[in-house]
Structure formats: structure tokens, C-alpha cells
Amino acid sequence: MIRAALMALMLLAAPARAQELTRDFGPEAATEVLRLRSTTDIVVLGPVIESFLATRPGLRIAYEQWGSNALYGLQSADCAAGRSGADLVISSAVHQMVDLVNEGCARPHRSAFTAALPDALIWRDELWGVTREPAVMVYNRRLVPPAQVPRSRFDLLDLLRPTESPFRGRVATYDIERSGLGFLFAFADSMEATTFGGLMESFGRSGAIATCCSAEIIDGVAEGRYLVAYNVLGSYALVRARRDARLGVIAPRDYTLVLSRAAMIPATAGQPRAAAQFVDFLLSAQG
């Protein structure tokens, strides 16, 4: 039943494919180059990279932003071929990262920072949770009346139930066929709540939109193309809402999923020392 519901969500809309973006940080004449592949938006992680490099004048970071499924496929291929590609990988699709570690695609790193992590945020000394991010609902403040703002999944079901609901075709969420993060959230929902089956049925019946990326979904809500977005990463939503009065953010009161974005040093990394230093920086108070 769960598998059938997940397949139904995959078929809600045509998939959107995230493009790879790249950017170099640090001096062109650097003697060391760390290749970092991640699902995190460059504008989000960029200031952290710059802060890390401030005291490392001889290091440059070549940043590649990927969709989670594409990143997983690339790392799997590099691992199988024994090919040097990324020196550090950070992904929100934690289940894919665990699979890479279990397939022998990572190398261990131990430090005072990794040792301080709780057991739930570390796996085999080869995978580390470097963030704590809630999954939230986002809504358009100007188009959704206060009385209709969904505070829980039960509220969202009620909004979608009427045949003539104004929310039909205007609720967005991740496409779980294209988004590893979306699949992870959907799986967690299926394990956590009795509302999962009803929500999937309501999404399918009301023409909910499945798309690829947090930024794209949030843009759609702000512009009014969508009224509500479901299971969006709170780290992106809260930053946008602080500077965009059109956006409201809700942590569902029935339960709120929390994600820890995962970091891994590939077994074939050419700069494992610099990668380990960046992991420690992410886990530090400054990072």
C-alpha cells in the first residue's frame, strides 16, 4: 500500500530536472583545490565556504551544485570505477549517502568535533549530520486567509477535500521520482502518520504539483502560482520569509520532520585532509 501511494505521488506531474551549477571560491593561484559537490544552493553555502577559506590562503574550493539523484548517481559511478571526483560530498538525501557509505564509497575521519556528535548524527565515522532542518509548510500570506492557513496535515486535508476547493492544483511538493530529499520525506511520513494515505490520495485527486527543488517551490508560492507548499526545507523557507512578506512558514503541529544534511569524504578523494578540515569547520560553533 505504501509503495502504491509513493508511486501515485511520482505521477502527479511531469518531472523537473535540476541543472548543475558551479562556482570557484578562493584564489586562482591556490596550491590546493578541494572539489565540493552538494545539493545545497550556492547562495546558502557560499558564505560558509568563504568563512572557511578566510584563514586558508593556499586553498581554493571548486563548488558543484547538483540535484540529489544526479549527485548520488555520479558518486556511485565514481566509486565503482575507483575514479577521483569529489573530495567532499554534502547532500540532503541522507538515505542515498548512507547507501554510499555502506557500499564502501567513503573514508573515515575522526576528530573532537565528530566525536561530539550524538549517535543519530554519525554513521561508521564516515557520514556526519552537519545541520538540523525542519520540514515545513509554506503559504502565500496575501492569498490564503488567516482562517485557512493549514496548521497541520489534517488542516491541509480539509482544505483539499471540497470539490470546488480554491487549493485544487495550487499545492506543491517535491517530485519524489526526481528528488531524493522528497522521497526521504515521503517515506518518513509513511512511517510516522496515519494521514499519509489520505494525503497522497488528496494530492492526486486535487491535482497537486510535484516539482524538483526548494527554491523553485518557494518561488512559486511567493508569486502566487501555488497557495501552499508541503514538506519544504525550513532552512530555505525561513531565510526567504524574513525578506519576503508574501511568505508564511508553518511547522506542522501534528509532527514536524527534522533533517540533518549529511557530509561524506569519498574513498577516492584527492584532498582528504582539506575535506576533513571543512567537515570539522561545519561542526564547529563558527561553521
Side-chain angles (χ1 to χ4, degrees):
M1 181 178 293
I2 289 174
R3 179 177 175 83
L6 291 176
M7 289 299 294
L9 181 57
M10 290 180 186
L11 298 174
L12 290 182
R17 187 178 302 275
Q19 286 188 320
E20 176 198 359
L21 301 174
T22 61
R23 179 177 168 185
D24 286 347
F25 295 84
E28 291 186 7
T31 56
E32 293 181 288
V33 178
L34 170 70
R35 185 166 300 280
L36 170 58
R37 292 175 179 162
S38 178
T39 60
T40 309
D41 287 5
I42 292 176
V43 295
V44 173
L45 197 55
V48 184
I49 294 173
E50 290 170 346
S51 181
F52 171 71
L53 290 176
T55 58
R56 294 164 175 81
L59 180 65
R60 177 162 55 92
I61 291 183
Y63 189 88
E64 299 178 5
Q65 181 183 325
W66 292 83
S68 54
N69 286 357
L71 178 58
Y72 172 65
L74 180 61
Q75 290 306 128
S76 295
D78 281 353
C79 179
R83 181 170 57 234
S84 179
D87 299 304
L88 180 63
V89 179
I90 301 173
S91 177
S92 54
V94 180
H95 59 302
Q96 295 175 342
M97 298 287 276
V98 170
D99 184 66
L100 289 170
V101 168
N102 289 347
E103 291 298 318
C105 299
R107 66 169 62 213
H109 165 60
R110 302 174 186 87
S111 69
F113 295 102
T114 62
L117 286 171
D119 291 344
L121 297 184
I122 188 168
W123 178 239
R124 290 173 48 171
D125 288 320
E126 295 176 357
L127 191 68
W128 309 276
V130 296
T131 65
R132 300 283 282 183
E133 306 176 52
V136 301
M137 290 190 283
V138 182
Y139 66 97
N140 187 299
R141 289 180 178 272
R142 297 176 181 174
L143 300 177
V144 180
Q148 292 186 323
V149 174
R151 305 287 172 178
S152 69
R153 290 163 182 81
F154 298 99
D155 291 344
L156 186 56
L157 280 168
D158 288 341
L159 292 175
L160 295 174
R161 189 167 289 121
T163 304
E164 302 302 322
S165 169
F167 292 84
R168 293 181 66 86
R170 300 185 73 184
V171 172
T173 190
Y174 293 110
D175 181 339
I176 65 171
E177 186 177 27
R178 298 297 182 186
S179 168
L181 171 62
F183 184 91
L184 181 61
F185 279 158
F187 177 78
D189 274 341
S190 74
M191 296 287 98
E192 185 69 27
T194 58
T195 53
F196 179 74
L199 202 56
M200 295 303 99
E201 188 274 335
S202 291
F203 281 171
R205 178 171 42 78
S206 65
I209 306 301
T211 187
C212 77
C213 317
S214 296
E216 181 178 310
I217 293 173
I218 296 169
D219 284 344
V221 175
E223 295 163 5
R225 288 183 284 115
Y226 315 134
L227 297 178
V228 174
Y230 176 71
N231 263 3
V232 177
L233 268 181
S235 54
Y236 294 127
L238 290 167
V239 168
R240 280 289 302 275
R242 290 191 190 105
R243 54 184 174 84
D244 193 333
R246 297 172 297 179
L247 296 171
V249 180
I250 295 292
R253 64 187 176 192
D254 46 340
Y255 68 89
T256 299
L257 299 174
V258 177
L259 169 87
S260 291
R261 200 176 298 257
M264 178 194 83
I265 303 172
T268 56
Q271 297 286 350
R273 181 172 174 272
Q277 290 173 344
F278 191 59
V279 170
D280 287 348
F281 179 78
L282 290 173
L283 297 176
S284 70
Q286 183 183 1

